[in-house]
Amino acid sequence: MKLRFRTKLSYGIGGLADNALFTLIETFLLFFLTTVVGIKPATAGLILALGCIWEAICGPISGFLSDNIETRFGKRKPFLMAAAIPAAVVTALLFTAIEMPYTLKVLYYGLMTILFWWCFAIFFVPYMTWGSELTEDYHERTVLRSYAYVFNQLGKGLGTVMPTILVAALMGIGFTLAASWSAVGITVGTASCAALLICALTIKESDVPGFVKDPNKPKVLTFHNIRKMFSSYGTIIKLRPIRYLIGGSLIYLVANTVFLSDMVYYYTYNMALSAVEISGITLFMTVFGIAMTPFVAKLAEKTDKKAAFVGGLVASGSILVVARFAGIETILGACIVSAVFSVGNTCYWQLMPSMIYDVCEAEELASGKQRSGEVISLQALSESLSAAIGVQLLGIILQQAGFADAAVVQPASALTWISNSYCLIPGLCMLAVALILTRYPINRRTYPRILEGVEKRRRGEPVDLNDYKDIF
């Protein structure tokens, strides 16, 4: 069940793409639309929310298709290859500021946002699901996700640190603000495209040598099958471990979206920091997250994924709440908050996918079917919905608090709610997730029993689910 270093590295490289694209949108798209393009905050939040909802629809379909197709490249790899170039093109177009009447602006950026999330959905669920198939070893899955998390953090640096540095540098040599942001879209899109292609083309374990397509195989993408897929979610979500993970994921990612999207506003308006100073803080957050990776992996190995996850979120959430009332006024304070957030963020992105992989076997044990793509797409669905909720929530908060997109100095009410969105809301969400996950039933003791039951099912032997009441 152990993987070669080359395989883990190649899989990890793919993680650069999903986090570079994800964090670029979460951190800068709302800011770009409100301050560069000139769209009102609530409307911009709605654009982002609609895009996330579209991804929530497309993600499960990608997962379902990748469960059911057969190619000489396996089930998951073709989706990464298909999405790579379109994702790069759409990202560049999304961050291109175009002068047109206000209504057309809203329509254009709404369309580009939907296309962006469509491209994202094509590769994200198959990529995540691929990791569950490369190994079924409980700890090796955490190791695999550690490689992915390191590149996730590099992608995060590309999506959060690089943009302000590049914009400042290009404007310093005469580029316009709009042209500078267009360069950001091109750079992130190109790097993500390269990462997806490297990941897809260098992993050979899932290839099927001598594959011959069955001409009598029924079509997969039919209305009946898609309807059946969505209806099956009702069955999958009834499983106790899935309910806890999906619920926790939904709440955590609201916190993640609010924090990342609000961070630029807080540093710009509450602290009046320069682009270089903002980049320095986000770079520190990225480096700190990478540095935390081996510690989280070791802690999960010594204790358990669940224990490490809950402990990290309790620590991060508690300190963020305290920080809101203590006040963050210096760059050192901002770096401390970034480090605290990174602890919880590392625990989530490193351990949650590994825990989702374990749930795939639990679902197979319960249903007798291998539906990894559907299980993981359900978790991706929660990510999309939470991102939609997070950006719409922040957009409404900013507008109701009196945020003025053209003002250099914001009113006191806007500054107060920018501050609440920076620390208080994410901190409370993290504490809520930690409380929910205390009841999650899969751990290093119960997982071997699940795997044993799955192996029995695969051999055609009867399995009594009453023996697994503590899990289901």
Side-chain angles (χ1 to χ4, degrees):
M1 304 297 288
K2 300 296 182 182
L3 296 172
R4 295 181 299 170
F5 168 76
R6 187 180 72 181
T7 300
K8 290 184 281 193
L9 179 63
S10 294
Y11 182 80
I13 289 172
L16 182 145
D18 85 67
N19 219 27
L21 295 170
F22 188 82
T23 56
L24 177 68
I25 297 301
E26 278 206 314
T27 307
F28 289 109
L29 186 55
L30 186 64
F31 185 81
F32 172 77
L33 293 179
T34 55
T35 62
V36 180
V37 177
I39 295 177
K40 294 178 181 179
T43 304
L46 179 61
I47 288 173
L48 269 70
L50 290 175
C52 294
I53 292 171
W54 180 247
E55 197 268 335
I57 296 171
C58 296
I61 295 174
S62 293
F64 173 77
L65 288 176
S66 70
D67 273 345
N68 291 280
I69 68 165
E70 295 178 2
T71 75
R72 65 188 181 93
F73 297 113
K75 294 176 177 292
R76 318 298 175 181
K77 182 187 295 190
F79 291 84
L80 278 68
M81 298 166 65
I85 295 176
V89 173
V90 172
T91 303
L93 293 175
L94 181 56
F95 280 87
T96 298
I98 298 177
E99 287 299 325
M100 59 179 72
Y102 186 81
T103 301
L104 291 180
K105 278 185 183 180
V106 173
L107 292 175
Y108 172 81
Y109 290 103
L111 175 61
M112 287 300 109
T113 302
I114 286 173
L115 290 176
F116 172 88
W117 284 115
W118 195 355
C119 294
F120 189 88
I122 289 172
F123 78 82
F124 179 66
V125 173
Y127 170 72
M128 291 286 290
T129 308
W130 203 3
S132 72
E133 296 174 347
L134 290 173
T135 177
E136 291 183 349
D137 184 271
Y138 185 74
H139 178 61
E140 188 71 356
R141 284 177 165 176
T142 302
V143 174
L144 180 64
R145 287 308 309 174
S146 297
Y147 279 80
Y149 182 73
V150 169
F151 283 94
N152 277 165
Q153 289 301 100
L154 294 175
K156 182 178 180 179
L158 188 64
T160 60
V161 180
M162 182 278 297
T164 50
I165 295 176
L166 183 59
V167 168
L170 292 178
M171 290 184 68
I173 59 174
F175 279 66
T176 64
L177 179 63
S180 300
W181 276 104
S182 182
V184 168
I186 293 170
T187 302
V188 174
T190 302
S192 299
C193 173
L196 288 174
L197 291 177
I198 290 171
C199 175
L201 298 177
T202 56
I203 296 178
K204 304 295 185 181
E205 280 85 346
S206 57
D207 288 359
V208 185
F211 170 79
V212 178
K213 184 177 179 180
D214 181 1
N216 298 317
K217 183 178 175 61
K219 292 182 178 180
V220 176
L221 189 59
T222 65
F223 177 77
H224 173 74
N225 286 343
I226 298 302
R227 185 179 64 179
K228 184 179 178 181
M229 175 203 70
F230 278 106
S231 66
S232 72
Y233 283 148
T235 302
I236 295 173
I237 201 66
K238 290 178 182 178
L239 293 179
R240 181 182 168 211
I242 291 179
R243 289 201 307 272
Y244 287 126
L245 278 190
I246 298 303
S249 180
L250 182 66
I251 297 172
Y252 176 82
L253 286 164
V254 169
N256 186 75
T257 300
V258 170
F259 181 90
L260 290 177
S261 296
D262 183 72
M263 180 175 64
V264 180
Y265 289 94
Y266 188 85
Y267 296 154
T268 301
Y269 298 108
N270 290 55
M271 297 183 66
L273 299 182
S274 68
V276 173
E277 290 169 326
I278 293 173
S279 298
I281 295 171
T282 53
L283 176 61
F284 171 79
M285 182 167 62
T286 300
V287 172
F288 189 86
I290 294 174
M292 283 292 299
T293 304
F295 293 102
V296 171
K298 182 60 67 174
L299 181 62
E301 181 182 9
K302 294 295 183 182
T303 57
D304 191 75
K305 298 175 192 178
K306 171 183 170 180
F309 184 88
V310 170
L313 264 65
V314 167
S316 294
S318 300
I319 297 173
L320 285 175
V321 171
V322 171
R324 166 63 185 94
F325 298 103
I328 307 299
E329 299 178 354
T330 65
I331 292 178
L332 176 60
C335 287
I336 292 173
V337 167
S338 297
V340 168
F341 178 79
S342 288
V343 172
N345 198 50
T346 303
C347 289
Y348 179 86
W349 291 109
Q350 192 171 345
L351 299 178
M352 177 63 82
S354 180
M355 294 160 77
I356 287 289
Y357 292 166
D358 301 336
V359 169
C360 291
E361 273 74 47
E363 200 281 329
E364 183 179 350
L365 174 61
S367 69
K369 302 175 182 177
Q370 290 182 306
R371 300 191 291 194
S372 300
E374 291 184 55
V375 172
I376 292 175
S377 68
L378 187 59
Q379 195 270 339
L381 176 66
S382 74
E383 293 187 6
S384 303
L385 292 176
S386 60
I389 293 168
V391 294
Q392 185 67 82
L393 175 64
L394 183 58
I396 292 172
I397 286 174
L398 291 176
Q399 186 149 320
Q400 292 299 315
F403 177 82
D405 58 334
V408 176
V409 178
Q410 297 294 329
S413 58
L415 295 177
T416 296
W417 279 99
I418 288 173
S419 184
N420 288 338
S421 301
Y422 178 60
C423 286
L424 184 60
I425 294 174
L428 292 175
C429 287
M430 285 187 178
L431 292 175
V433 174
L435 180 63
I436 291 171
L437 265 293
T438 57
R439 305 195 64 184
Y440 174 69
I442 299 178
N443 52 46
R444 69 196 319 168
R445 294 183 299 277
T446 58
Y447 181 74
R449 289 171 48 213
I450 293 172
L451 205 56
E452 180 182 350
V454 168
E455 292 301 326
K456 284 184 178 180
R457 273 198 179 278
R458 291 173 180 174
R459 292 194 300 266
E461 299 175 16
V463 175
D464 186 357
L465 293 182
N466 288 322
D467 295 336
Y468 301 90
K469 286 184 176 180
D470 57 321
I471 296 170
F472 298 123

